[in-house]
Amino acid sequence: MIHPHTELRFISPEIGYGVVATQRIPKGTITWVLDALDREFTPQQIAAMDPLYQDILDTYTYRNNKGNFVLCWDIGRYVNHSFRSNCMTTAYEFEVAIRDIEAGEQLTDDYGYLNIPRPFKGMDEGSRRKVVYPDDLLRYYPTWDRKLSAAIRYLDELAQPLQPLMEAPIWAKAVRIARGEEQMDSILTCYYGPREAALQINGHQTDYVDKGKRD
């Protein structure tokens, strides 16, 4: 479920529709939570569907770390991509605002951490990245982890309208992370892809080196 202080708006002919904040959403606010109405499809289920449904799911789903495709039941499925996203997913099936989001501003995700099946060229935002690739999590997780850590520290200091939808153990863990009592699991745990690309999630090096200067 998407944060309640949002609405669907037409952005432009090029972008189409997007999710826009109706009130200021502070950094550290949970902006989306996987809930009981969101639906998960296996690749086999999608392959057995009519092409009409396949096209819809190709447009509006993201892929989780099991390789299954998740369809958000509400307007959360309209959150657009940005190389400078203001929301970011976590290892705990919720997203958080990584900076303050002002009223009238779009909520955005970086599709690079959503396990897209194939690359696509994003809009030019003046960032060094121009294309989103299926393995972007392997490339950028250190940068994204730092942004998440800087935001999640405020989690239990803010109003969290979506907290009742979270499982109690997940919320308790998130609070411990925010208070510095427990280490945050890397966003890399969201990755779905060839294991030989090889990620070793528990603090070991991968085949990619983060340069610390990417947008």
Side-chain angles (χ1 to χ4, degrees), residues 2 25-34 62 79-101 106-114 129 136-137 140-152 155 162 184-188 190 214-215:
I2 199 74
I25 299 176
K27 177 179 179 177
T29 302
I30 295 169
T31 55
W32 175 85
V33 172
L34 183 73
Y62 72 90
V79 172
N80 288 314
H81 164 76
S82 173
F83 291 117
R84 303 180 186 276
S85 71
N86 51 33
C87 300
M88 192 162 287
T89 195
T90 68
Y92 313 109
E93 297 185 326
F94 69 82
E95 294 187 1
V96 66
I98 56 170
R99 63 169 176 79
D100 295 340
I101 304 171
Q106 275 199 83
L107 276 68
T108 54
D109 274 321
D110 191 317
Y111 287 11
Y113 48 69
L114 296 181
R129 291 170 61 212
D136 274 350
L137 258 171
Y140 301 111
Y141 78 90
T143 297
W144 292 338
D145 278 348
R146 287 194 292 272
K147 292 181 177 181
L148 279 171
S149 294
I152 205 169
L155 180 140
L162 296 178
M184 182 187 76
D185 293 314
S186 174
I187 192 175
L188 189 56
C190 299
R214 297 187 176 96
D215 294 313

Side-chain angles (χ1 to χ4, degrees), residues 2-188:
I2 199 74
H3 194 282
H5 297 157
T6 59
E7 64 183 18
L8 185 66
R9 292 186 191 173
F10 183 76
I11 306 302
S12 71
E14 184 177 15
I15 295 174
Y17 288 87
V19 177
V20 174
T22 58
Q23 299 181 27
R24 185 174 184 270
I25 299 176
K27 177 179 179 177
T29 302
I30 295 169
T31 55
W32 175 85
V33 172
L34 183 73
D35 70 24
L37 294 182
D38 294 323
R39 186 170 175 188
E40 185 173 336
F41 298 85
T42 66
Q44 293 76 20
Q45 288 174 318
I46 295 176
M49 291 180 175
D50 184 277
L52 172 64
Y53 297 115
Q54 292 177 353
D55 288 344
I56 292 171
L57 293 174
D58 183 58
T59 301
Y60 292 112
T61 59
Y62 72 90
R63 188 161 54 168
N64 63 21
N65 62 3
K66 296 181 291 184
N68 294 334
F69 294 82
V70 179
L71 177 66
C72 299
W73 68 270
D74 64 357
I75 64 172
R77 65 183 180 270
Y78 290 97
V79 172
N80 288 314
H81 164 76
S82 173
F83 291 117
R84 303 180 186 276
S85 71
N86 51 33
C87 300
M88 192 162 287
T89 195
T90 68
Y92 313 109
E93 297 185 326
F94 69 82
E95 294 187 1
V96 66
I98 56 170
R99 63 169 176 79
D100 295 340
I101 304 171
E102 302 301 330
E105 185 180 359
Q106 275 199 83
L107 276 68
T108 54
D109 274 321
D110 191 317
Y111 287 11
Y113 48 69
L114 296 181
N115 296 306
I116 60 170
R118 54 191 174 275
F120 76 90
K121 186 176 182 179
M123 293 183 63
D124 189 351
E125 301 175 74
S127 61
R128 295 178 64 186
R129 291 170 61 212
K130 307 298 182 185
V131 179
V132 182
Y133 291 100
D135 64 350
D136 274 350
L137 258 171
L138 295 178
R139 300 170 184 265
Y140 301 111
Y141 78 90
T143 297
W144 292 338
D145 278 348
R146 287 194 292 272
K147 292 181 177 181
L148 279 171
S149 294
I152 205 169
R153 58 182 292 193
Y154 300 108
L155 180 140
D156 69 333
E157 301 175 9
L158 301 168
Q160 300 288 1
L162 296 178
Q163 185 267 320
L165 297 178
M166 299 174 64
E167 296 181 4
I170 295 298
W171 172 250
K173 183 180 183 70
V175 170
R176 291 195 299 271
I177 293 169
R179 295 175 179 175
E181 299 169 357
E182 187 169 334
Q183 184 174 351
M184 182 187 76
D185 293 314
S186 174
I187 192 175
L188 189 56

